[in-house]
Amino acid sequence: MSEKIIFVCINKSFERFSSGIIIKGRESLYQCTRKYWPVNLWKANAAEYIAGVSKGIIKSIYKQTEVWKPVRSFREFLTDAEIIENPRLLDRYAFTGIEAPQSVRAKYIGSKIPQVFRFYGNIVSYNF
């Protein structure tokens, strides 16, 4: 595996999103994947890609375009339903990205998470 990837567990938000339950701030698969993560910034910023995983299956993958930033630095997140319900999420991190190239998406989307990855709560990190 040549890509440096951070995998995030999107079980709850993906389940709601895929069943048509839209929550403010989670209107897309990208929004389900990108925010409210307690990450190690050094590892997160070293990653090229962030993949959203639901029930062990990779559902989304995005190319990181900027360094991870605190959620509170994104004005558009301040009115998200989850932030209003739990303001402590402001102390977590989010990334900005674009859809990964087709070659990367084809390689990962629909795949099971490899056992060579380590789990850190809701975050899985390739040991790079």
Side-chain angles (χ1 to χ4, degrees):
M1 180 165 310
S2 58
E3 292 86 9
K4 294 180 179 178
I5 303 173
I6 297 284
F7 294 87
V8 294
C9 178
I10 61 170
N11 285 342
K12 289 179 188 175
S13 59
F14 181 78
E15 186 175 315
R16 289 180 192 138
F17 177 75
S18 64
S19 65
I21 300 169
I22 305 299
I23 296 172
K24 180 160 177 34
R26 301 285 189 167
E27 296 93 353
S28 68
L29 191 51
Y30 174 61
Q31 294 298 342
C32 291
T33 306
R34 77 180 289 218
K35 52 190 165 184
Y36 311 141
W37 302 112
V39 298
N40 172 312
L41 285 178
W42 181 83
K43 284 190 175 191
N45 287 327
E48 297 172 79
Y49 298 99
I50 297 84
V53 178
S54 179
K55 298 181 180 173
I57 306 292
I58 299 169
K59 301 295 185 180
S60 62
I61 188 160
Y62 298 94
K63 181 169 180 46
Q64 183 169 286
T65 59
E66 294 182 27
V67 296
W68 287 66
K69 297 178 187 172
V71 167
R72 68 179 63 252
S73 69
F74 293 89
R75 293 189 75 186
E76 70 268 22
F77 295 169
L78 300 180
T79 58
D80 286 2
E82 292 163 298
I83 292 292
I84 291 167
E85 186 177 309
N86 185 0
R88 291 181 298 167
L89 293 175
L90 290 168
D91 296 325
R92 293 193 174 182
Y93 296 90
F95 71 92
T96 299
I98 58 173
E99 193 169 48
Q102 176 58 33
S103 60
V104 174
R105 290 194 322 269
K107 186 175 179 180
Y108 292 104
I109 300 291
S111 300
K112 287 189 176 189
I113 250 187
Q115 294 302 309
V116 296
F117 293 90
R118 295 191 316 205
F119 289 83
Y120 299 100
N122 286 336
I123 308 266
V124 180
S125 175
Y126 182 63
N127 187 15
F128 53 87

